[in-house]
Amino acid sequence: MEASSSSASMVLGSVSSHDQERLNLKSIWGVVVSVNNFIHKLISNAKTRNSIRMRCATKFTTARKHKFFEFSEQSVLSNFYWGIDSIEAAIQEKCLDEKAALLKKAEQMLQVPALLDEHGVTAGIHNRYLVCCSYFYLSLVRKLQEDEWQVALHFLQAVLVSPGLVQTEFAPELCERLFPSRTAKCGKQATRGRGNAGSNFPYVEQEEDEAIGRMARVWRDWLMYYQVMLYGETPRWECDTEPQYSMHEKSTSSFSSSTIEHWEVHPFDPREDIGGGMGDEMKTFSIYIREFEEYEKTAKDLDQVTSFNVEKLQRGSSIKRLHDMLNDSQSDMRTSVGSCSDFSAYDIESEVMDYGECSLTTTRSSADFPRKLQESVRKEVLEVNNSALLASGFASSIKSLNLTLFEHRDKKSKTFRQHCMINQMDHQQSGARRKHNFRGHEVSSHPAKDSKSELFHMTEKAISKLLYSEGLGKWEEDHVVEVTTIYEILGKKNGENCAVLKDMILDQLLAGISSSTEDIVIRASISILTSIAAANKSVIEDVKKKGLQLSDLASALKRNVQEAAVLFYLMNPTPAEIKTFELLPTLAGIMCTSNSYKCRSGSLPSPMTACLMITEILVTAFDHATNNVHLAEISSPNVLEGLLDVARDTNIEELISLATILVKCIQYEGDSRRYISKLAPVAPFVRLLESNNKHAKFIALEFFHHALCMPRSSTITLLKRLQREGNTNVMNSLMLCIEQFEPEYQVLAANLLLHLDTLDNSTCKSIFREEAVQVLLKSVASEETCGAQQLSAFIISNLGGTYSWTGEPYTIGWLVKKACLTSSYQRNMIKNICWSDDCLEDAGTDTWCSKIARSIINIGNPVFHSLAKGLKSTIRSVSRDCLTTVAWLGFEIVKSPESVKFTACEILLSGVEQFLHPGMELEERVLACLCIYNYASGKGMKKLVHFSEGVRESLRRLSSVTWMAEELHKVADYVQPFLSQRISCVHTQILEVGVSCSGAVCALIYYKGFLCSGYSDGSIKVWNIKGQSATLVWDVKEHKKAVTCFSLVEPGDSLISGSLDKTIRVWQVVHRKLECIEVIAAKKPVQHLNTHGQMIFATTNGHGIKVFDASRKAKYNCKSKRVKCMAVVQGKIFAGCKDSSIQEFSIMNNRAQEIKAARKFWKLQKRPITAIVTYKDWLYSASSIVEGSNLKEWRRHIRPQMSLKTGKRERVKEMGIVEDFMYLNCSPATNCIQIWLRGSQQKVGRISAGSRITSLLTANDIILCGTETGLIKAWIPL
């Protein structure tokens, strides 16, 4: 570790005058490299290490003389001693894992003494000594861990703590080099101090030590500053090789200490010249980093004293000269065939040499790009030597290169190098020209003489480096631009040689992408190819022909080579090809990185844009199920959060794809809709809406349309945010959309415009509102554009209502609740509504409905006429949506003036009547009742006079469903009573569906608007009934034996099924599938089920009724009776028993009462109660006879009010009751259903099912039955 002879020339000026002066990165770099080289040599020299260690050990000898000291002091000394010992063990250790563990342990131990107070004493040793030694040894730890920054920081901290100790005991030569003006005096003082070592810390601080400390502090502070500024970069400090102790098997350094020992250290005094006196074997090296150009302007005079005259380096780099050459080459292109054939490599050489100003580039490495710092001298020499294989014969070898394109494809890079060397020997006739080239190259170190040769050398070097397999592993961003420019120049020239050279470049890049296993090679190859494609997109077709595989790009993308996404997208793969690579997790990771770098050229999409576009294909190009699988991978909160961050700062192209993806996520599930609507920034989508891009406006309108499909209170919150950020500009943009776009997008724009205008203005006239309502009503009334008509009808039907978080319209559910439809069995006949959802209780819905209804009604009669046309539409969904609109407008019509109310009644009521009749959906019949009730008040009551007999009959049949129907029927009879009431007994079959492979249909029930059927093989099938057709929605099989019964659990909105396998299963719709969420053991085969609240009642083959509470604990009621059937109503259980008695039990207090006594013993076996049904306030029981009575009367008189006898020897097996009829399935004729009038107890007909009937269900005036052949049939009375 001998000091350089030039150290004396580096005497520093006054420190005090320069403490605050900025140091450039070159100076800091010199310090880091010098310290690292010193520490490296120390680690490599065991003798020196042991000497320093022994000096530290003498202090422990002093400490042992103190007989008494505290345990904490012993702990500090122990950590210090064993920390040093662990470092020595780590240096000797061969196993990398053990080495890392020892270093970590040493670092933890040395940090204990390093944190001591410098001014204290521990076990008789000055803390300053312990702290200084600890930081010095921590620098060794960091060197072994290959952290060059921290090596220098810890060493400077040790100097800062005790300059004298470091410069006399640890690193005198290094201190002399770093602080030359102070070391001479300090050395003398230290020598005197050592001779008078009467204390445990003999080094007395002098003024010179304080000066060195201040200098060390400046170095440390600026080193920390640049460490922060270069955060995220990976500087490659070119220090000595470390074969003995490196943490990696192969050292990353590229030269040895013999190559370079001293680096330039920037002086504090810019007037002092340190350029000379370093010796020929020790060359000072400097670096220029463009990223810090703005900082170096303030210290420009400091750069003038470096070894090379930096002012001679011209601002225009080799990249600029290549671009200049490219621009000039475009005006100098050969166009004739003859000229193309005469073009040679010497022309390329001449062209390269004729452009650009000269600057000294042979001493620079990536000077204009801060991604990596200055490479070493040896590395530069090796690179030049590598390129020299091609240098001597470069031009002439290209000229005479007669490899065809197809021949070259079969050559390896090694063969090509050999070929170039052979060409160098074979073309001696071009020696004069080559000699001239070398002569120009030799004088290129003199910048004023031959810039042409130097620039040609740079071009030659870039291509030759590319053609070597190891060259890509050392690639720099400068070379990306150089090769791209060279390729573009070659593209401007015609001729076989240029084509072959272009093919060489592409082939080498493809080889790097497809065959390399090193990330850096793959990254460099893709970076260069992307840059070439940015300048010339036709290159994509060329590489496709050459065999570039999507799988290679997908593999690179999974290695986090983000630019691979750009090439992957430009390859234009099919959706099926994209799907096979399973890229979504990788794409999501890139998309969630909002600071992902952009592509170098605006002509290509950025990696972020490419990822968004590929993801857009994956979530839109397939069938619904496949798209949903892909959406499930990106709908997690983490991914959505990343996507929403992207939306805050992105370009229009990215935002379009992003909006498309978000729309799909919103449609996929309610949680995504909730997350996006609450956290998505509105401004980016407003920017889409206000852009001049038509497609951008389309996707913005779709985004806001789906974003508005959520609970009303949340919709109002979103509208307020949109109003704050967009104001009138949004309204004007929406007006332009209405004027310019197709009908579907006009409707979307009108919807958003109407919402925004209604938010603050519902009473005054508004141009925006009138225009929006006109567009919506025009589309509803017009059948020319079917899509626009259905969309506008859907939108206007939910303007005054609400949605669920899944996007399902809940306006009908909200209206039906207002019509007092309370029975869970009736509610479950309505599709797509979860009755326990809090959205139905949204307090903001009523207020908003009143507000927007008032604003629409104020427009006048055109609203009613358009809705009347919509009610008569042949498209079922349009007429249904118009009925919903009329229903919620009715709440405000009631408050309107009499004239408005009567006019609306005159125009709309005739269209509403059609929805009352049997055969219509239950919710449609209820909404029709609601409309008539609201509109036919006041003068509108006269319309009831003109009700037909069929309308009155329909109202009478609905009286058991809603009190409004009963009231309307009473008023109609009062205004104009009919002399006689006729009941049509004709029944028409409307449905026949089923499967034969599952056995008999043993149970039927409606759940969530779907018909559920239980089969004898244990399966449950769910059917979607539409008119006279049915579609199988779900088919599940969880029960092991026949499913015998169903019931509904109202609080949990669940379905329960009982089976002969002795279990009860609880079902719910989860993610749009019927899922079993609970299994209850019944211990006996289950025959019948019923519920009350969370309690479940089951009858089995045994005695009594088994009751399961909310905790699923079981108990028995009616233990003494053999219960055959039961009904639960008004908090009571009515049980039909085998002895023909009927028992009543109170659910709340378990009080029992017998309301029908048992028969005599000898008649017992013939008349067990087989069915019990409640209808309104009546209870009906069936055995061999059917009896019925009002519940109160039956309790009071203990006998029925009515009784009817079926045929001789017939016994009722199943029974169903509606308003006018009783339906009985009796044995032995079990394939027929007998029809009886409920009022007069007369038999009026029969229905044949074709086979034995095994289940019966009545709902919405429809009678359904299941048969033993697996068929489900349904009839309706006319």
Side-chain angles (χ1 to χ4, degrees):
M1 295 187 290
E2 295 181 357
S4 172
S5 60
S6 62
S7 301
S9 65
M10 299 179 64
V11 179
L12 301 180
S14 174
V15 177
S16 60
S17 62
H18 298 285
D19 280 349
Q20 304 301 323
E21 191 168 4
R22 179 180 297 275
L23 302 182
N24 63 0
L25 187 60
K26 291 184 287 294
S27 302
I28 297 299
W29 180 22
V31 172
V32 172
V33 173
S34 296
V35 173
N36 274 270
N37 283 343
F38 168 78
I39 298 297
H40 164 65
K41 294 176 182 178
L42 177 61
I43 293 174
S44 302
N45 192 329
K47 182 178 180 180
T48 306
R49 282 200 323 274
N50 291 332
S51 175
I52 296 176
R53 187 180 179 188
M54 291 303 298
R55 293 174 205 162
C56 295
T58 58
K59 297 300 176 185
F60 289 95
T61 304
T62 304
R64 293 191 190 99
K65 296 178 181 179
H66 292 259
K67 296 182 180 180
F68 304 102
F69 49 84
E70 297 180 0
F71 175 77
S72 59
E73 295 177 336
Q74 174 67 33
S75 175
V76 170
L77 295 180
S78 297
N79 277 283
F80 180 73
Y81 176 81
W82 290 111
I84 298 174
D85 189 71
S86 297
I87 295 175
E88 291 297 327
I91 294 174
Q92 303 301 326
E93 181 61 48
K94 301 299 182 182
C95 176
L96 296 181
D97 292 338
E98 285 294 330
K99 184 189 291 290
L102 287 169
L103 290 176
K104 183 177 180 181
K105 178 181 177 182
E107 183 176 14
Q108 292 173 346
M109 290 181 175
L110 289 172
Q111 284 174 353
V112 174
L115 295 176
L116 293 173
D117 181 11
E118 297 177 11
H119 303 289
V121 177
T122 300
I125 303 175
H126 282 280
N127 287 354
R128 188 182 298 273
Y129 180 88
L130 292 174
V131 173
C132 178
C133 292
S134 299
Y135 275 111
F136 179 78
Y137 274 103
L138 281 171
S139 67
L140 270 68
V141 173
R142 286 298 188 174
K143 183 60 180 176
L144 291 169
Q145 293 174 340
E146 299 183 357
D147 188 348
E148 286 84 0
W149 283 108
Q150 290 300 125
V151 171
L153 281 173
H154 284 322
F155 180 82
L156 290 175
Q157 184 65 31
V159 175
L160 186 61
V161 172
S162 178
L165 179 62
V166 175
Q167 69 180 351
T168 58
E169 297 290 337
F170 297 151
E173 296 85 354
L174 181 59
C175 289
E176 184 179 356
R177 192 182 315 156
L178 294 177
F179 317 108
S181 64
R182 310 300 175 188
T183 52
K185 295 181 181 180
C186 284
K188 295 178 182 179
Q189 295 289 346
T191 303
R192 290 195 300 267
R194 185 178 299 149
N196 299 320
S199 67
N200 291 331
F201 190 67
Y203 312 110
V204 182
E205 298 293 338
Q206 303 293 332
E207 293 181 0
E208 291 79 1
D209 291 345
E210 295 176 2
I212 292 177
R214 289 196 299 272
M215 293 166 62
R217 182 178 290 106
V218 172
W219 289 119
R220 184 201 63 180
D221 293 346
W222 280 105
L223 179 57
M224 294 174 64
Y225 168 77
Y226 283 112
Q227 185 180 18
V228 173
M229 293 299 297
L230 291 175
Y231 179 77
E233 304 290 343
T234 308
R236 185 176 297 173
W237 309 106
E238 296 301 335
C239 308
D240 294 344
T241 55
E242 306 164 0
Q244 297 92 345
Y245 59 87
S246 175
M247 294 294 293
H248 304 284
E249 292 182 4
K250 183 176 180 180
S251 174
T252 57
S253 301
S254 58
F255 68 99
S256 66
S257 58
S258 60
T259 304
I260 178 169
E261 288 188 7
H262 295 279
W263 298 78
E264 174 199 3
V265 179
H266 196 291
F268 284 103
D269 192 347
R271 294 174 299 227
E272 295 188 27
D273 186 6
I274 61 171
M278 295 288 289
D280 296 336
E281 73 282 2
M282 310 257 180
K283 299 295 183 182
T284 305
F285 215 72
S286 65
I287 183 169
Y288 174 71
I289 296 184
R290 182 175 295 173
E291 184 173 314
F292 294 96
E293 179 180 348
E294 55 195 5
Y295 302 118
E296 295 197 1
K297 288 180 181 178
T298 60
K300 191 178 293 184
D301 55 327
L302 300 179
D303 295 332
Q304 298 174 358
V305 296
T306 53
S307 312
F308 289 104
N309 195 341
V310 179
E311 292 180 348
K312 292 182 180 181
L313 296 177
Q314 301 296 322
R315 303 279 296 178
S317 67
S318 59
I319 305 301
K320 180 179 182 301
R321 295 199 300 279
L322 280 173
H323 281 294
D324 292 341
M325 181 176 64
L326 173 62
N327 295 333
D328 291 342
S329 68
Q330 296 176 1
S331 62
D332 191 32
M333 290 180 58
R334 305 173 189 267
T335 55
S336 66
V337 177
S339 63
C340 293
S341 61
D342 294 337
F343 179 68
S344 69
Y346 186 73
D347 298 323
I348 300 177
E349 174 190 354
S350 301
E351 185 170 349
V352 171
M353 293 169 61
D354 286 342
Y355 292 90
E357 298 178 358
C358 176
S359 66
L360 188 56
T361 60
T362 57
T363 62
R364 300 175 58 229
S365 176
S366 302
D368 296 327
F369 289 85
R371 192 171 296 271
K372 294 183 179 179
L373 295 179
Q374 179 69 27
E375 296 292 332
S376 67
V377 172
R378 183 178 177 184
K379 185 176 180 181
E380 285 286 322
V381 172
L382 288 177
E383 289 176 352
V384 173
N385 290 339
N386 286 337
S387 63
L389 290 173
L390 292 173
S392 59
F394 179 72
S396 58
S397 63
I398 293 178
K399 176 180 177 181
S400 59
L401 187 64
N402 52 11
L403 281 176
T404 64
L405 178 63
F406 299 99
E407 290 172 341
H408 175 68
R409 286 178 184 169
D410 297 332
K411 300 294 182 180
K412 303 273 185 175
S413 58
K414 180 177 179 181
T415 306
F416 176 70
R417 290 196 297 270
Q418 295 173 352
H419 177 75
C420 293
M421 295 176 67
I422 293 172
N423 282 342
Q424 180 180 352
M425 296 183 293
D426 288 348
H427 295 88
Q428 298 296 330
Q429 57 194 9
S430 303
R433 182 177 299 174
R434 289 197 298 272
K435 184 176 181 181
H436 170 73
N437 290 343
F438 272 117
R439 184 164 55 251
H441 177 68
E442 290 170 0
V443 299
S444 64
S445 60
H446 304 283
K449 293 184 178 180
D450 197 353
S451 62
K452 296 180 180 180
S453 178
E454 181 267 328
L455 184 57
F456 174 67
H457 167 71
M458 178 270 301
T459 306
E460 172 192 337
K461 178 181 174 182
I463 297 179
S464 63
K465 182 177 181 181
L466 175 66
L467 294 175
Y468 280 91
S469 58
E470 67 273 10
L472 287 172
K474 305 174 183 178
W475 208 259
E476 304 287 347
E477 289 197 25
D478 265 346
H479 301 107
V480 174
V481 183
E482 289 176 3
V483 174
T484 303
T485 309
I486 292 169
Y487 188 92
E488 193 169 354
I489 292 173
L490 294 173
K492 302 298 182 181
K493 297 294 183 179
N494 296 321
E496 182 180 355
N497 293 333
C498 289
V500 170
L501 190 56
K502 286 166 57 181
D503 285 342
M504 290 180 184
I505 295 175
L506 292 183
D507 286 342
Q508 188 66 15
L509 294 176
L510 296 187
I513 295 172
S514 61
S515 60
S516 177
T517 59
E518 298 182 13
D519 287 353
I520 188 171
V521 174
I522 298 173
R523 192 180 302 276
S525 302
I526 289 177
S527 180
I528 296 171
L529 188 55
T530 305
S531 298
I532 292 175
N536 184 7
K537 288 187 178 180
S538 64
V539 171
I540 298 298
E541 294 299 323
D542 295 339
V543 295
K544 287 171 70 175
K545 293 177 182 178
K546 285 179 173 292
L548 178 60
Q549 299 295 320
L550 288 172
S551 58
D552 295 330
L553 295 175
S555 177
L557 197 55
K558 292 177 181 180
R559 288 171 173 256
N560 198 32
V561 182
Q562 296 188 7
E563 282 186 301
V566 179
L567 293 177
F568 190 93
Y569 176 74
L570 293 176
M571 293 279 285
N572 195 24
T574 64
E577 289 175 329
I578 299 174
K579 179 185 173 185
T580 58
F581 297 115
E582 299 180 351
L583 291 174
L584 261 181
T586 303
L587 297 173
I590 296 176
M591 291 185 297
C592 291
T593 309
S594 58
N595 60 348
S596 177
Y597 61 88
K598 308 295 181 182
C599 191
R600 290 185 176 85
S601 173
S603 63
L604 292 183
S606 68
M608 174 70 72
T609 305
C611 290
L612 287 169
M613 290 179 173
I614 296 171
T615 305
E616 180 185 355
I617 294 172
L618 287 172
V619 300
T620 59
F622 301 95
D623 58 89
H624 181 73
T626 306
N627 288 341
N628 283 351
V629 171
H630 295 156
L631 286 168
E633 295 187 49
I634 62 172
S635 294
S636 65
N638 292 337
V639 177
L640 290 178
E641 182 180 4
L643 291 176
L644 295 180
D645 285 339
V646 171
R648 301 177 193 277
D649 182 22
T650 187
N651 56 51
I652 291 295
E653 190 178 26
E654 290 178 356
L655 197 53
I656 291 174
S657 294
L658 177 62
T660 304
I661 295 170
L662 292 179
V663 166
K664 287 297 180 180
C665 290
I666 287 174
Q667 293 174 318
Y668 171 64
E669 64 173 1
D671 290 339
S672 298
R673 185 187 303 268
R674 188 194 304 263
Y675 194 89
I676 293 171
S677 64
K678 289 183 177 180
L679 300 180
V682 178
F685 303 100
V686 173
R687 184 154 59 93
L688 280 181
L689 196 60
E690 295 175 348
S691 70
N692 295 324
N693 188 317
K694 190 175 181 181
H695 183 55
K697 290 178 179 287
F698 286 171
I699 193 61
L701 289 173
E702 290 184 23
F703 174 81
F704 284 117
H705 167 65
H706 290 287
L708 291 176
C709 295
M710 56 184 176
R712 183 54 59 188
S713 296
S714 299
T715 301
I716 294 173
T717 302
L718 177 63
L719 290 171
K720 289 179 179 179
R721 288 172 53 201
L722 180 58
Q723 195 177 56
R724 285 195 305 269
E725 298 185 28
N727 294 326
T728 335
N729 293 333
V730 176
M731 311 282 275
N732 293 330
S733 298
L734 292 172
M735 287 291 287
L736 288 176
C737 294
I738 290 174
E739 295 172 1
Q740 299 173 0
F741 289 168
E742 293 81 359
E744 287 84 356
Y745 291 100
Q746 287 182 353
V747 169
L748 295 181
N751 177 34
L752 184 55
L753 184 62
L754 182 58
H755 273 87
L756 288 172
D757 186 76
T758 306
L759 192 62
D760 290 329
N761 178 19
S762 61
T763 54
C764 303
K765 287 188 176 182
S766 167
I767 298 175
F768 294 128
R769 184 196 313 143
E770 291 180 359
E771 183 68 25
V773 173
Q774 183 180 354
V775 169
L776 291 173
L777 295 177
K778 181 182 177 181
S779 298
V780 168
S782 174
E783 296 190 2
E784 295 179 1
T785 53
C786 178
Q789 185 186 25
Q790 293 182 57
L791 179 60
S792 59
F794 172 82
I795 288 174
I796 202 170
S797 68
N798 295 287
L799 275 175
T802 186
Y803 296 84
S804 70
W805 278 114
T806 62
E808 291 289 346
Y810 269 21
T811 304
I812 289 178
W814 172 68
L815 291 170
V816 164
K817 285 191 72 173
K818 285 185 169 293
C820 299
L821 186 69
T822 57
S823 169
S824 62
Y825 287 91
Q826 292 169 346
R827 285 182 173 183
N828 271 280
M829 295 189 69
I830 303 175
K831 293 185 179 71
N832 302 325
I833 294 179
C834 178
W835 295 98
S836 60
D837 197 328
D838 294 337
C839 302
L840 292 172
E841 306 294 337
D842 193 340
T845 306
D846 290 344
T847 306
W848 174 263
C849 178
S850 176
K851 195 173 187 179
I852 197 166
R854 192 183 314 119
S855 65
I856 292 176
I857 292 170
N858 288 341
I859 294 176
N861 292 345
V863 174
F864 307 131
H865 286 294
S866 296
L867 290 175
K869 289 183 180 179
L871 288 171
K872 298 175 182 178
S873 174
T874 57
I875 302 174
R876 190 86 177 100
S877 62
V878 173
S879 59
R880 175 190 172 99
D881 288 336
C882 288
L883 175 66
T884 306
T885 306
V886 173
W888 62 260
L889 284 174
F891 292 123
E892 197 63 26
I893 286 287
V894 175
K895 308 173 188 176
S896 300
E898 199 65 37
S899 58
V900 175
K901 188 189 308 180
F902 183 74
T903 302
C905 182
E906 284 280 333
I907 297 172
L908 296 173
L909 219 55
S910 59
V912 171
E913 291 177 3
Q914 62 177 319
F915 293 95
L916 282 171
H917 302 305
M920 307 302 289
E921 300 290 344
L922 178 62
E923 62 269 26
E924 294 174 349
R925 300 178 73 189
V926 173
L927 290 180
C929 282
L930 185 61
C931 292
I932 295 172
Y933 187 85
N934 285 331
Y935 284 81
S937 59
K939 289 183 180 181
M941 193 174 293
K942 296 179 182 178
K943 293 292 294 182
L944 299 177
V945 177
H946 306 291
F947 274 177
S948 65
E949 185 177 355
V951 173
R952 295 190 183 202
E953 180 70 11
S954 297
L955 287 173
R956 186 177 60 80
R957 291 182 177 180
L958 273 174
S959 59
S960 63
V961 177
T962 173
W963 61 269
M964 290 183 179
E966 188 174 5
E967 290 294 322
L968 287 172
H969 184 258
K970 289 179 181 179
V971 172
D973 280 348
Y974 176 79
V975 173
Q976 186 169 352
F978 283 104
L979 297 177
S980 61
Q981 181 176 341
R982 295 178 298 176
I983 299 176
S984 173
C985 300
V986 179
H987 285 66
T988 300
Q989 184 174 342
I990 60 172
L991 180 67
E992 181 174 335
V993 67
V995 292
S996 58
C997 59
S998 298
V1001 181
C1002 302
L1004 292 169
I1005 197 171
Y1006 272 97
Y1007 177 61
K1008 299 284 189 182
F1010 300 102
L1011 179 63
C1012 299
S1013 55
Y1015 290 81
S1016 58
D1017 68 344
S1019 64
I1020 297 175
K1021 294 177 172 54
V1022 182
W1023 306 89
N1024 183 16
I1025 309 296
K1026 290 185 178 180
Q1028 298 185 10
S1029 64
T1031 305
L1032 183 63
V1033 181
W1034 302 307
D1035 186 358
V1036 294
K1037 187 177 181 180
E1038 298 284 347
H1039 286 291
K1040 306 302 180 184
K1041 294 183 179 181
V1043 178
T1044 55
C1045 50
F1046 287 118
S1047 188
L1048 298 171
V1049 181
E1050 187 172 1
D1053 205 19
S1054 304
L1055 171 71
I1056 59 174
S1057 61
S1059 172
L1060 296 180
D1061 64 2
K1062 304 178 184 180
T1063 63
I1064 300 170
R1065 291 183 178 267
V1066 184
W1067 305 83
Q1068 280 188 353
V1069 177
V1070 180
H1071 297 305
R1072 302 183 182 181
K1073 287 184 64 179
L1074 188 65
E1075 300 281 353
C1076 178
I1077 62 171
E1078 185 181 2
V1079 180
I1080 304 171
K1083 297 185 179 180
K1084 290 183 180 181
V1086 180
Q1087 300 293 339
H1088 296 278
L1089 285 174
N1090 222 314
T1091 62
H1092 178 77
Q1094 294 186 358
M1095 302 179 71
I1096 299 175
F1097 307 96
T1099 64
T1100 64
N1101 292 334
H1103 288 73
I1105 300 173
K1106 201 165 189 177
V1107 183
F1108 298 91
D1109 59 16
S1111 63
R1112 303 312 183 216
K1113 292 181 179 180
K1115 65 178 181 179
Y1116 281 93
N1117 279 344
C1118 194
K1119 291 183 180 180
S1120 61
K1121 298 289 184 178
R1122 185 82 174 268
V1123 179
K1124 299 287 290 183
C1125 56
M1126 64 178 168
V1128 178
V1129 63
Q1130 297 177 1
K1132 303 284 182 19
I1133 303 174
F1134 297 93
C1137 304
K1138 189 174 182 179
D1139 63 359
S1140 73
S1141 66
I1142 300 177
Q1143 307 293 323
E1144 177 186 340
F1145 296 92
S1146 173
I1147 296 175
M1148 299 301 296
N1149 53 28
N1150 287 330
R1151 291 180 55 185
Q1153 179 183 355
E1154 188 174 69
I1155 63 175
K1156 181 185 176 184
R1159 297 281 183 176
K1160 291 183 180 181
F1161 180 79
W1162 58 85
K1163 297 181 179 179
L1164 180 64
Q1165 297 298 327
K1166 294 185 178 180
R1167 295 188 178 180
I1169 303 297
T1170 56
I1172 288 184
V1173 178
T1174 59
Y1175 184 79
K1176 291 187 175 178
D1177 295 332
W1178 278 60
L1179 176 69
Y1180 295 89
S1181 67
S1183 55
S1184 58
I1185 62 174
V1186 178
E1187 297 174 326
S1189 179
N1190 184 279
L1191 287 172
K1192 292 181 180 179
E1193 293 297 325
W1194 208 331
R1195 292 192 193 101
R1196 184 182 304 167
H1197 302 290
I1198 322 254
R1199 58 190 176 90
Q1201 291 177 272
M1202 60 82 62
S1203 178
L1204 66 86
K1205 292 185 179 181
T1206 59
K1208 215 177 213 183
R1209 297 179 181 176
E1210 289 184 342
R1211 186 171 59 185
V1212 178
K1213 296 178 68 65
E1214 300 280 352
M1215 177 172 59
I1217 308 291
V1218 295
E1219 180 64 26
D1220 294 325
F1221 304 105
M1222 292 188 298
Y1223 300 100
L1224 306 176
N1225 174 235
C1226 305
S1227 62
T1230 56
N1231 62 340
C1232 294
I1233 299 175
Q1234 298 180 14
I1235 306 173
W1236 295 72
L1237 290 176
R1238 188 173 69 91
S1240 60
Q1241 293 89 48
Q1242 290 181 324
K1243 184 177 180 179
V1244 294
R1246 55 186 286 176
I1247 300 170
S1248 175
S1251 58
R1252 185 170 67 90
I1253 295 172
T1254 51
S1255 56
L1256 199 69
L1257 176 68
T1258 58
N1260 191 27
D1261 281 339
I1262 300 174
I1263 174 71
L1264 300 100
C1265 72
T1267 68
E1268 65 178 352
T1269 60
L1271 292 178
I1272 301 172
K1273 297 185 177 183
W1275 295 265
I1276 190 171
L1278 297 177

